[in-house]
mmCIF file of all heavy atoms in Angstrom:
data_model
loop_
_atom_site.group_PDB
_atom_site.id
_atom_site.type_symbol
_atom_site.label_atom_id
_atom_site.label_comp_id
_atom_site.label_asym_id
_atom_site.label_seq_id
_atom_site.Cartn_x
_atom_site.Cartn_y
_atom_site.Cartn_z
ATOM 1 N N ASP A 7 0.816 -1.217 0.000
ATOM 2 C CA ASP A 7 0.000 0.000 0.000
ATOM 3 C C ASP A 7 0.847 1.263 0.000
ATOM 4 O O ASP A 7 0.470 2.273 -0.588
ATOM 5 C CB ASP A 7 -0.935 0.004 1.221
ATOM 6 C CG ASP A 7 -2.059 -1.014 1.091
ATOM 7 O OD1 ASP A 7 -2.386 -1.388 -0.057
ATOM 8 O OD2 ASP A 7 -2.592 -1.450 2.130
ATOM 9 N N ASP A 8 2.020 1.235 0.666
ATOM 10 C CA ASP A 8 2.840 2.430 0.799
ATOM 11 C C ASP A 8 3.920 2.556 -0.272
ATOM 12 O O ASP A 8 4.813 3.395 -0.167
ATOM 13 C CB ASP A 8 3.489 2.475 2.193
ATOM 14 C CG ASP A 8 4.353 1.249 2.475
ATOM 15 O OD1 ASP A 8 4.176 0.218 1.783
ATOM 16 O OD2 ASP A 8 5.200 1.322 3.383
ATOM 17 N N VAL A 9 3.862 1.727 -1.298
ATOM 18 C CA VAL A 9 4.798 1.803 -2.424
ATOM 19 C C VAL A 9 3.983 2.097 -3.670
ATOM 20 O O VAL A 9 2.948 1.469 -3.912
ATOM 21 C CB VAL A 9 5.591 0.490 -2.600
ATOM 22 C CG1 VAL A 9 6.483 0.560 -3.830
ATOM 23 C CG2 VAL A 9 6.422 0.211 -1.351
ATOM 24 N N ASN A 10 4.474 3.037 -4.477
ATOM 25 C CA ASN A 10 3.672 3.548 -5.586
ATOM 26 C C ASN A 10 3.749 2.714 -6.856
ATOM 27 O O ASN A 10 3.311 3.152 -7.912
ATOM 28 C CB ASN A 10 4.072 4.999 -5.909
ATOM 29 C CG ASN A 10 2.971 5.730 -6.662
ATOM 30 O OD1 ASN A 10 1.784 5.520 -6.411
ATOM 31 N ND2 ASN A 10 3.368 6.567 -7.622
ATOM 32 N N ILE A 11 4.317 1.510 -6.771
ATOM 33 C CA ILE A 11 4.333 0.628 -7.926
ATOM 34 C C ILE A 11 3.802 -0.738 -7.522
ATOM 35 O O ILE A 11 3.852 -1.128 -6.351
ATOM 36 C CB ILE A 11 5.736 0.486 -8.554
ATOM 37 C CG1 ILE A 11 6.657 -0.329 -7.648
ATOM 38 C CG2 ILE A 11 6.338 1.833 -8.883
ATOM 39 C CD1 ILE A 11 7.972 -0.721 -8.308
ATOM 40 N N ALA A 12 3.271 -1.450 -8.493
ATOM 41 C CA ALA A 12 2.890 -2.852 -8.330
ATOM 42 C C ALA A 12 3.583 -3.626 -9.434
ATOM 43 O O ALA A 12 3.815 -3.098 -10.531
ATOM 44 C CB ALA A 12 1.379 -3.019 -8.416
ATOM 45 N N VAL A 13 3.950 -4.868 -9.154
ATOM 46 C CA VAL A 13 4.727 -5.663 -10.099
ATOM 47 C C VAL A 13 4.011 -6.982 -10.370
ATOM 48 O O VAL A 13 3.678 -7.719 -9.430
ATOM 49 C CB VAL A 13 6.145 -5.949 -9.562
ATOM 50 C CG1 VAL A 13 6.931 -6.792 -10.568
ATOM 51 C CG2 VAL A 13 6.881 -4.650 -9.270
ATOM 52 N N ILE A 14 3.764 -7.262 -11.629
ATOM 53 C CA ILE A 14 3.312 -8.592 -12.027
ATOM 54 C C ILE A 14 4.548 -9.459 -12.242
ATOM 55 O O ILE A 14 5.532 -9.009 -12.828
ATOM 56 C CB ILE A 14 2.472 -8.518 -13.318
ATOM 57 C CG1 ILE A 14 1.100 -7.883 -13.027
ATOM 58 C CG2 ILE A 14 2.283 -9.907 -13.919
ATOM 59 C CD1 ILE A 14 0.222 -7.736 -14.262
ATOM 60 N N GLN A 15 4.503 -10.679 -11.745
ATOM 61 C CA GLN A 15 5.592 -11.614 -12.026
ATOM 62 C C GLN A 15 5.033 -12.797 -12.812
ATOM 63 O O GLN A 15 4.112 -13.474 -12.373
ATOM 64 C CB GLN A 15 6.247 -12.109 -10.732
ATOM 65 C CG GLN A 15 7.407 -13.072 -10.931
ATOM 66 C CD GLN A 15 8.551 -12.522 -11.757
ATOM 67 O OE1 GLN A 15 8.384 -12.227 -12.946
ATOM 68 N NE2 GLN A 15 9.711 -12.362 -11.144
ATOM 69 N N GLN A 16 5.590 -13.010 -14.008
ATOM 70 C CA GLN A 16 5.183 -14.114 -14.871
ATOM 71 C C GLN A 16 6.313 -15.120 -14.941
ATOM 72 O O GLN A 16 7.426 -14.795 -15.347
ATOM 73 C CB GLN A 16 4.828 -13.606 -16.273
ATOM 74 C CG GLN A 16 4.349 -14.709 -17.207
ATOM 75 C CD GLN A 16 4.025 -14.203 -18.604
ATOM 76 O OE1 GLN A 16 3.941 -13.003 -18.834
ATOM 77 N NE2 GLN A 16 3.855 -15.122 -19.541
ATOM 78 N N ARG A 17 6.043 -16.357 -14.571
ATOM 79 C CA ARG A 17 7.106 -17.345 -14.456
ATOM 80 C C ARG A 17 7.110 -18.392 -15.567
ATOM 81 O O ARG A 17 7.977 -19.264 -15.573
ATOM 82 C CB ARG A 17 7.026 -18.031 -13.092
ATOM 83 C CG ARG A 17 7.304 -17.071 -11.933
ATOM 84 C CD ARG A 17 7.336 -17.799 -10.608
ATOM 85 N NE ARG A 17 7.723 -16.883 -9.537
ATOM 86 C CZ ARG A 17 6.892 -16.109 -8.874
ATOM 87 N NH1 ARG A 17 5.605 -16.130 -9.200
ATOM 88 N NH2 ARG A 17 7.305 -15.315 -7.914
ATOM 89 N N SER A 18 6.142 -18.349 -16.451
ATOM 90 C CA SER A 18 6.150 -19.283 -17.579
ATOM 91 C C SER A 18 5.513 -18.596 -18.783
ATOM 92 O O SER A 18 4.676 -17.708 -18.621
ATOM 93 C CB SER A 18 5.407 -20.578 -17.233
ATOM 94 O OG SER A 18 4.027 -20.342 -17.054
ATOM 95 N N PRO A 19 5.907 -19.000 -19.987
ATOM 96 C CA PRO A 19 5.394 -18.338 -21.195
ATOM 97 C C PRO A 19 3.973 -18.767 -21.523
ATOM 98 O O PRO A 19 3.462 -19.766 -21.009
ATOM 99 C CB PRO A 19 6.370 -18.796 -22.276
ATOM 100 C CG PRO A 19 6.854 -20.128 -21.788
ATOM 101 C CD PRO A 19 6.924 -20.019 -20.291
ATOM 102 N N ALA A 20 3.347 -18.004 -22.396
ATOM 103 C CA ALA A 20 2.004 -18.338 -22.857
ATOM 104 C C ALA A 20 2.062 -19.542 -23.797
ATOM 105 O O ALA A 20 3.025 -19.732 -24.541
ATOM 106 C CB ALA A 20 1.385 -17.151 -23.583
ATOM 107 N N LEU A 21 1.021 -20.369 -23.727
ATOM 108 C CA LEU A 21 0.903 -21.483 -24.659
ATOM 109 C C LEU A 21 0.746 -20.946 -26.078
ATOM 110 O O LEU A 21 0.116 -19.911 -26.292
ATOM 111 C CB LEU A 21 -0.302 -22.343 -24.285
ATOM 112 C CG LEU A 21 -0.233 -23.041 -22.917
ATOM 113 C CD1 LEU A 21 -1.600 -23.558 -22.526
ATOM 114 C CD2 LEU A 21 0.791 -24.175 -22.953
ATOM 115 N N LYS A 22 1.301 -21.667 -27.041
ATOM 116 C CA LYS A 22 1.292 -21.196 -28.432
ATOM 117 C C LYS A 22 -0.119 -20.912 -28.920
ATOM 118 O O LYS A 22 -0.361 -19.927 -29.629
ATOM 119 C CB LYS A 22 1.977 -22.229 -29.317
ATOM 120 C CG LYS A 22 2.110 -21.792 -30.766
ATOM 121 C CD LYS A 22 2.869 -22.824 -31.588
ATOM 122 C CE LYS A 22 3.016 -22.366 -33.032
ATOM 123 N NZ LYS A 22 3.771 -23.372 -33.843
ATOM 124 N N SER A 23 -1.068 -21.768 -28.527
ATOM 125 C CA SER A 23 -2.441 -21.620 -29.009
ATOM 126 C C SER A 23 -3.243 -20.580 -28.238
ATOM 127 O O SER A 23 -4.382 -20.283 -28.601
ATOM 128 C CB SER A 23 -3.165 -22.971 -28.920
ATOM 129 O OG SER A 23 -3.215 -23.420 -27.572
ATOM 130 N N SER A 24 -2.643 -20.023 -27.168
ATOM 131 C CA SER A 24 -3.400 -19.121 -26.293
ATOM 132 C C SER A 24 -2.757 -17.746 -26.154
ATOM 133 O O SER A 24 -3.117 -16.990 -25.258
ATOM 134 C CB SER A 24 -3.546 -19.757 -24.903
ATOM 135 O OG SER A 24 -4.178 -21.004 -24.976
ATOM 136 N N LYS A 25 -1.812 -17.425 -27.032
ATOM 137 C CA LYS A 25 -1.079 -16.166 -26.890
ATOM 138 C C LYS A 25 -2.004 -14.947 -26.914
ATOM 139 O O LYS A 25 -1.936 -14.082 -26.042
ATOM 140 C CB LYS A 25 -0.017 -16.045 -27.979
ATOM 141 C CG LYS A 25 1.154 -16.996 -27.806
ATOM 142 C CD LYS A 25 2.170 -16.821 -28.928
ATOM 143 C CE LYS A 25 3.355 -17.755 -28.738
ATOM 144 N NZ LYS A 25 4.361 -17.614 -29.830
ATOM 145 N N GLN A 26 -2.869 -14.875 -27.919
ATOM 146 C CA GLN A 26 -3.728 -13.696 -28.029
ATOM 147 C C GLN A 26 -4.771 -13.668 -26.919
ATOM 148 O O GLN A 26 -5.111 -12.590 -26.420
ATOM 149 C CB GLN A 26 -4.409 -13.650 -29.391
ATOM 150 C CG GLN A 26 -5.060 -12.294 -29.700
ATOM 151 C CD GLN A 26 -4.058 -11.153 -29.674
ATOM 152 O OE1 GLN A 26 -2.969 -11.228 -30.258
ATOM 153 N NE2 GLN A 26 -4.414 -10.068 -28.982
ATOM 154 N N ASP A 27 -5.270 -14.828 -26.499
ATOM 155 C CA ASP A 27 -6.215 -14.874 -25.376
ATOM 156 C C ASP A 27 -5.562 -14.309 -24.122
ATOM 157 O O ASP A 27 -6.187 -13.543 -23.368
ATOM 158 C CB ASP A 27 -6.674 -16.313 -25.111
ATOM 159 C CG ASP A 27 -7.587 -16.844 -26.200
ATOM 160 O OD1 ASP A 27 -8.179 -16.016 -26.930
ATOM 161 O OD2 ASP A 27 -7.710 -18.073 -26.317
ATOM 162 N N PHE A 28 -4.305 -14.687 -23.905
ATOM 163 C CA PHE A 28 -3.589 -14.182 -22.736
ATOM 164 C C PHE A 28 -3.390 -12.677 -22.827
ATOM 165 O O PHE A 28 -3.627 -11.947 -21.859
ATOM 166 C CB PHE A 28 -2.240 -14.888 -22.594
ATOM 167 C CG PHE A 28 -1.344 -14.265 -21.567
ATOM 168 C CD1 PHE A 28 -1.671 -14.324 -20.218
ATOM 169 C CD2 PHE A 28 -0.184 -13.609 -21.943
ATOM 170 C CE1 PHE A 28 -0.845 -13.744 -19.262
ATOM 171 C CE2 PHE A 28 0.637 -13.025 -21.006
ATOM 172 C CZ PHE A 28 0.302 -13.085 -19.650
ATOM 173 N N VAL A 29 -2.952 -12.203 -23.984
ATOM 174 C CA VAL A 29 -2.726 -10.771 -24.170
ATOM 175 C C VAL A 29 -4.022 -9.987 -23.948
ATOM 176 O O VAL A 29 -4.032 -8.954 -23.266
ATOM 177 C CB VAL A 29 -2.139 -10.488 -25.571
ATOM 178 C CG1 VAL A 29 -2.161 -8.989 -25.879
ATOM 179 C CG2 VAL A 29 -0.717 -11.019 -25.662
ATOM 180 N N ASP A 30 -5.112 -10.481 -24.512
ATOM 181 C CA ASP A 30 -6.400 -9.789 -24.361
ATOM 182 C C ASP A 30 -6.826 -9.731 -22.890
ATOM 183 O O ASP A 30 -7.299 -8.687 -22.416
ATOM 184 C CB ASP A 30 -7.479 -10.504 -25.183
ATOM 185 C CG ASP A 30 -7.259 -10.365 -26.684
ATOM 186 O OD1 ASP A 30 -6.501 -9.468 -27.093
ATOM 187 O OD2 ASP A 30 -7.852 -11.165 -27.434
ATOM 188 N N SER A 31 -6.665 -10.831 -22.162
ATOM 189 C CA SER A 31 -7.045 -10.863 -20.738
ATOM 190 C C SER A 31 -6.165 -9.926 -19.932
ATOM 191 O O SER A 31 -6.648 -9.202 -19.040
ATOM 192 C CB SER A 31 -6.944 -12.291 -20.200
ATOM 193 O OG SER A 31 -7.845 -13.160 -20.840
ATOM 194 N N LEU A 32 -4.860 -9.927 -20.220
ATOM 195 C CA LEU A 32 -3.936 -9.067 -19.488
ATOM 196 C C LEU A 32 -4.251 -7.594 -19.711
ATOM 197 O O LEU A 32 -4.312 -6.799 -18.757
ATOM 198 C CB LEU A 32 -2.502 -9.371 -19.919
ATOM 199 C CG LEU A 32 -1.399 -8.515 -19.283
ATOM 200 C CD1 LEU A 32 -1.344 -8.749 -17.778
ATOM 201 C CD2 LEU A 32 -0.040 -8.813 -19.928
ATOM 202 N N LEU A 33 -4.484 -7.218 -20.967
ATOM 203 C CA LEU A 33 -4.765 -5.817 -21.273
ATOM 204 C C LEU A 33 -6.104 -5.379 -20.691
ATOM 205 O O LEU A 33 -6.245 -4.230 -20.243
ATOM 206 C CB LEU A 33 -4.740 -5.591 -22.785
ATOM 207 C CG LEU A 33 -3.363 -5.711 -23.448
ATOM 208 C CD1 LEU A 33 -3.465 -5.467 -24.945
ATOM 209 C CD2 LEU A 33 -2.356 -4.751 -22.822
ATOM 210 N N GLU A 34 -7.077 -6.267 -20.660
ATOM 211 C CA GLU A 34 -8.366 -5.914 -20.065
ATOM 212 C C GLU A 34 -8.214 -5.717 -18.559
ATOM 213 O O GLU A 34 -8.809 -4.799 -17.977
ATOM 214 C CB GLU A 34 -9.398 -7.003 -20.361
ATOM 215 C CG GLU A 34 -10.772 -6.759 -19.750
ATOM 216 C CD GLU A 34 -11.443 -5.486 -20.253
ATOM 217 O OE1 GLU A 34 -11.019 -4.935 -21.293
ATOM 218 O OE2 GLU A 34 -12.400 -5.033 -19.591
ATOM 219 N N PHE A 35 -7.406 -6.561 -17.922
ATOM 220 C CA PHE A 35 -7.141 -6.372 -16.490
ATOM 221 C C PHE A 35 -6.475 -5.024 -16.245
ATOM 222 O O PHE A 35 -6.866 -4.280 -15.336
ATOM 223 C CB PHE A 35 -6.249 -7.500 -15.962
ATOM 224 C CG PHE A 35 -5.667 -7.205 -14.607
ATOM 225 C CD1 PHE A 35 -6.445 -7.304 -13.461
ATOM 226 C CD2 PHE A 35 -4.340 -6.800 -14.476
ATOM 227 C CE1 PHE A 35 -5.923 -7.011 -12.215
ATOM 228 C CE2 PHE A 35 -3.804 -6.509 -13.232
ATOM 229 C CZ PHE A 35 -4.594 -6.612 -12.092
ATOM 230 N N ILE A 36 -5.470 -4.698 -17.045
ATOM 231 C CA ILE A 36 -4.772 -3.425 -16.866
ATOM 232 C C ILE A 36 -5.719 -2.252 -17.096
ATOM 233 O O ILE A 36 -5.733 -1.288 -16.324
ATOM 234 C CB ILE A 36 -3.566 -3.348 -17.831
ATOM 235 C CG1 ILE A 36 -2.521 -4.408 -17.464
ATOM 236 C CG2 ILE A 36 -2.935 -1.950 -17.794
ATOM 237 C CD1 ILE A 36 -1.387 -4.532 -18.480
ATOM 238 N N ARG A 37 -6.535 -2.357 -18.140
ATOM 239 C CA ARG A 37 -7.447 -1.263 -18.488
ATOM 240 C C ARG A 37 -8.416 -0.949 -17.351
ATOM 241 O O ARG A 37 -8.744 0.214 -17.113
ATOM 242 C CB ARG A 37 -8.222 -1.621 -19.754
ATOM 243 C CG ARG A 37 -9.093 -0.492 -20.298
ATOM 244 C CD ARG A 37 -9.963 -0.946 -21.450
ATOM 245 N NE ARG A 37 -10.983 -1.898 -21.031
ATOM 246 C CZ ARG A 37 -12.141 -1.553 -20.452
ATOM 247 N NH1 ARG A 37 -12.411 -0.278 -20.220
ATOM 248 N NH2 ARG A 37 -13.014 -2.473 -20.091
ATOM 249 N N THR A 38 -8.861 -1.968 -16.660
ATOM 250 C CA THR A 38 -9.857 -1.774 -15.602
ATOM 251 C C THR A 38 -9.259 -1.680 -14.206
ATOM 252 O O THR A 38 -9.987 -1.575 -13.231
ATOM 253 C CB THR A 38 -10.875 -2.932 -15.627
ATOM 254 O OG1 THR A 38 -10.183 -4.181 -15.435
ATOM 255 C CG2 THR A 38 -11.622 -2.970 -16.957
ATOM 256 N N SER A 39 -7.922 -1.735 -14.115
ATOM 257 C CA SER A 39 -7.279 -1.782 -12.803
ATOM 258 C C SER A 39 -7.173 -0.428 -12.119
ATOM 259 O O SER A 39 -6.987 -0.348 -10.903
ATOM 260 C CB SER A 39 -5.870 -2.380 -12.937
ATOM 261 O OG SER A 39 -5.022 -1.481 -13.657
ATOM 262 N N GLY A 40 -7.241 0.647 -12.902
ATOM 263 C CA GLY A 40 -7.040 1.971 -12.332
ATOM 264 C C GLY A 40 -5.580 2.374 -12.243
ATOM 265 O O GLY A 40 -5.243 3.393 -11.620
ATOM 266 N N ALA A 41 -4.691 1.594 -12.859
ATOM 267 C CA ALA A 41 -3.263 1.926 -12.840
ATOM 268 C C ALA A 41 -3.027 3.281 -13.504
ATOM 269 O O ALA A 41 -3.666 3.623 -14.506
ATOM 270 C CB ALA A 41 -2.455 0.848 -13.562
#
């Protein structure tokens, strides 16, 4: 709460068949997060 940044940590790559699904979900989360 007292630090002005938040960090996502991703430890494995996206599956080949799910790359765009992952990107779309990530961007929608960011868009609605209030960052």
